Amino acid sequence: SEILEITYPTSDVQKALNTVAVTTSGKPVVMIGQRGSGKSHIMALVHNAFESPEAVESWAAGWAQRLQSPKLAGMKLQRGFKPISETLSNQEYPVLWDVLFDKHPKGAYYGGRFKESGSLIPAKSLLQDMFAEQKTALILDELQTWYDGLHDEPGPSGKKRLQWAFNFIQTLSELAEDRPDLFCLVVSVRD
């Protein structure tokens, strides 16, 4: 309720909520803007749209009356998604899949399956199985800051963190597009 109390439904706020609404889901969402442009606030609102869709719909309906906005009045958000949000500029995670394995309700089990597989990055099928057990919205703030801080270890046998990150982001993007019934990806980057 605190974030809704301080949020005005600007066009950016409405666009962000519309991208995670029932009628328009199915694409990865990228929020682009300069530092201080409100991306993190909007991402917190999107988190709440998944966590408490009824409360956000009620907030939208209240503003719809005040602004005479049919779009806000008819907003229907998705149900049953577990939002997982992380501010990546804190550099808490050297690899993105650890965010999922740490915070998803079945993350420990699927993290174990990933380690047993011996793969360098989690397989798309493994992630799809995990999201089938609990639909997930992954909300990553400051993705670019995190990605820009990555480096590969030197030498032919060094860890290729940049390539792994790129491949994993591609896998997540494909899952968000192919299986919007199970997974939503929302990220922010600087312009």
Side-chain angles (χ1 to χ4, degrees), residues 18-127:
N18 190 48
T19 62
V20 297
V22 171
T23 58
T24 55
S25 64
K27 301 278 185 198
V29 179
V30 180
M31 296 185 194
I32 303 171
Q34 297 178 0
R35 287 192 194 275
S37 63
K39 296 183 306 294
S40 296
H41 180 90
I42 293 172
M43 293 183 87
L45 182 64
V46 168
H47 177 100
N48 282 284
F50 285 109
E51 183 80 25
S52 304
E54 297 87 2
V56 176
E57 288 170 352
S58 177
W59 168 86
W63 277 105
Q65 286 183 324
R66 292 170 71 182
L67 301 175
Q68 300 298 305
S69 171
K71 194 177 209 178
L72 284 172
M75 182 171 293
K76 295 292 178 216
L77 298 169
Q78 299 183 72
R79 301 293 199 267
F81 279 77
K82 164 80 172 151
I84 297 174
S85 294
E86 184 64 35
T87 302
L88 295 175
S89 60
N90 295 335
Q91 301 297 332
E92 298 291 330
Y93 292 96
V95 290
L96 281 182
W97 50 85
D98 282 348
V99 175
L100 287 169
F101 295 146
D102 283 354
K103 297 185 175 193
H104 190 278
K106 297 285 188 169
Y109 171 75
Y110 285 96
R113 281 188 47 194
F114 164 59
K115 286 180 184 171
E116 286 177 4
S117 75
S119 297
L120 296 174
I121 63 172
K124 187 176 184 179
S125 59
L126 178 90
L127 297 171

Side-chain angles (χ1 to χ4, degrees), residues 6 15 32 35 41 49 53 55 59 63 70 83 86 95 106 118 134 141 148 150 157 167 172 178 181:
I6 63 168
K15 284 179 194 174
I32 303 171
R35 287 192 194 275
H41 180 90
W59 168 86
W63 277 105
E86 184 64 35
V95 290
K106 297 285 188 169
Q134 172 58 67
D141 198 10
D148 288 348
L150 294 178
S157 61
N167 292 350
L172 293 175
D178 296 344
D181 58 318

Side-chain angles (χ1 to χ4, degrees), residues 29-33 38-40 43 86-88 138-146 185-191:
V29 179
V30 180
M31 296 185 194
I32 303 171
K39 296 183 306 294
S40 296
M43 293 183 87
E86 184 64 35
T87 302
L88 295 175
L138 182 60
I139 304 164
L140 302 173
D141 198 10
E142 297 286 345
L143 177 66
Q144 180 182 0
T145 303
W146 173 84
L185 177 64
V186 180
V187 301
S188 75
V189 297
R190 294 186 314 272
D191 61 1

